[in-house]
Amino acid sequence: QTMEATIKIQDVTGRTLKLIRGEYAQGFNQVSVSSDELPAAGVLYYTLETEDFTATKKMVVITE
């Protein structure tokens, strides 16, 4: 079902670098974030939160 979701990108200290909120349809959704939008490189964590689901994963940001 369609619902609101929040994606929070944090550095290893827990500081929030970017917050994305939106209404997303049921099924596969994709959000693109450029490394230019993030003030840090290296290992970062992103958390996806909905009203009944939360997941945290890590990602590696490489700058040129």
Side-chain angles (χ1 to χ4, degrees), residues 35-63:
S35 61
D36 296 337
E37 298 176 61
L38 301 172
V43 177
L44 301 178
Y45 294 90
Y46 63 94
T47 302
L48 170 64
E49 294 182 47
T50 67
E51 68 181 52
D52 58 355
F53 177 80
T54 301
T56 300
K57 303 284 183 172
K58 72 178 172 178
M59 65 178 171
V60 178
V61 176
I62 302 170
T63 58

